[in-house]
Amino acid sequence: EDILSRMEFLAMGSDLKLVSNDEEAPPCDDTGVKEALKKLGLPPTPQGAKSALVMLNRWSSKQEEASRNARILPWSNQTLESSARFVEYAAAKRKVNSMKKGKFFPNFTIDAKKTAFRDDAVGLRPRLKDKIVGGNKFELVVSIADVSCVYGEGEGEGQAEGESEGGLDKLGVGDARVLKKAAQARCMSRYDLPFGPLHLLPPPVLEGLSIREGDKNEVVSAIVYIDEKSGEIIDAHLEKSFILSKAMTYEEANDVLSQETDETHVSSKTKATLDTIARLLEIWQTQRIVKSAVSRRREEKLQSRDRSSATFARSQAHRVVDSSLDLFSYVATKLLREKKAPVCRMPGSGAGRGGRLATAPLRRFIDGMAQKQIISILCGGSGIKRMTSDECRAISERSGRIRNAISASRFKRRGGGKNC
């Protein structure tokens, strides 16, 4: 699997690397890729890698109707077939979800303008009157797209192929497992390759799993109540839920946050909600930086990057998103630790190093599996099997190897490493 992953990087234009003697470079050795291509009688080039991946059924070749040329797709035929069925399933599921009744409070997905698949949102909901402490009347709601139909339902007990619930057929066990296997093989999305992105899953699947404006989206939410004076968390829990969310770019969110409340072109409700979200997150993050050396180091590093970068600096909207994801990860980690449950984490990115947990399931396989563990232990299970320590360790180690291969590729492209 590791050789195939490196072969995919080569097919998308990444450099082929040999063993490096540079101590600063991440571990890298693509000798296995070169030998595999040689055995198949193919050159160590992007085209050679593409041909090998098609021969090995990792990628597929589709004949274009309008020409004699074949189009190479970075997915197996089996994955593409399951993806097509998933699109039908997702459309039917969203139609059923659209009929759900209930009170939906304001949420926002804040991302870059070109973001295609949104997987996180932040919002508020009123605190029950008899549980209000001090002056804070709201709970923060940080939500992550629910991907358990791919990562979990195929393993739930009592689910047969085509089993129906509420008039909606569940995603078939076979298709769920095919898509999960494809995500496991890809491990994480890459957007920095010369020939284009390599997504974790086929784009139609990511679209079906993403948080979309106007839809009632299935999510896993951290519900957090914060003391306005101290910034401490008074109580918190995680739950599976539905949200309606407004999509905003960082620029749009910054415009709202910077406007005066009496400016008529800004919705007073949107302005008040975003202001409250930003204020509560800042209060929590400030006390965390004071008390945690890890948080202080991370903040210092980010500030240093802001000062040194001529093209990018964190805006208030960036800090809102960063803090909301930090909060979700902090709560999930704390609650899982209290349950003494194993978790899937990238090696070297544990809570003690400021790493996040389960916040990017549309980009990283390990985050989808961490979400699966969160649902099985903290959200009532939903028929999803709890993972063992050995299963979590195997996922973490595999993810670490692919991350090292990506880091080595980036190091080489920046001009580092003499022998890579």
Side-chain angles (χ1 to χ4, degrees), residues 146-164:
D146 185 346
V147 298
S148 60
C149 60
V150 170
Y151 291 88
E153 286 194 17
E155 299 177 358
E157 293 184 3
Q159 182 187 342
E161 194 80 32
E163 179 183 345
S164 180

Side-chain angles (χ1 to χ4, degrees), residues 126-150:
R127 178 80 165 175
L128 294 175
K129 290 184 178 180
D130 61 343
K131 293 188 177 182
I132 291 176
V133 177
N136 183 15
K137 299 179 181 180
F138 298 99
E139 296 170 330
L140 279 167
V141 182
V142 185
S143 301
I144 307 297
D146 185 346
V147 298
S148 60
C149 60
V150 170

Side-chain angles (χ1 to χ4, degrees), residues 110-130:
I110 305 172
D111 275 295
K113 188 175 182 179
K114 293 183 179 180
T115 299
F117 313 114
R118 298 170 182 256
D119 57 4
D120 59 85
V122 61
L124 295 175
R125 74 180 192 187
R127 178 80 165 175
L128 294 175
K129 290 184 178 180
D130 61 343

Side-chain angles (χ1 to χ4, degrees), residues 343-347 366 391-400:
V343 295
C344 303
R345 278 192 183 277
M346 193 74 73
I366 197 169
E391 288 173 325
C392 289
R393 188 180 304 111
I395 292 168
S396 298
E397 290 174 354
R398 155 85 174 147
S399 297

Side-chain angles (χ1 to χ4, degrees), residues 39-60:
K39 288 180 180 178
L40 293 170
L42 296 167
T45 63
Q47 188 56 51
K50 286 181 181 180
S51 298
L53 290 163
V54 171
M55 290 171 63
L56 297 168
N57 296 317
R58 177 84 163 213
W59 288 16
S60 58

Side-chain angles (χ1 to χ4, degrees), residues 3 25 28 36 89 137 192 243 254 260 269 310 312 319 330:
I3 289 176
C28 64
Y89 158 82
K137 299 179 181 180
D192 61 338
I243 63 166
N254 278 323
E260 298 297 331
K269 184 175 182 180
F312 175 81
R319 289 192 290 272
Y330 176 85

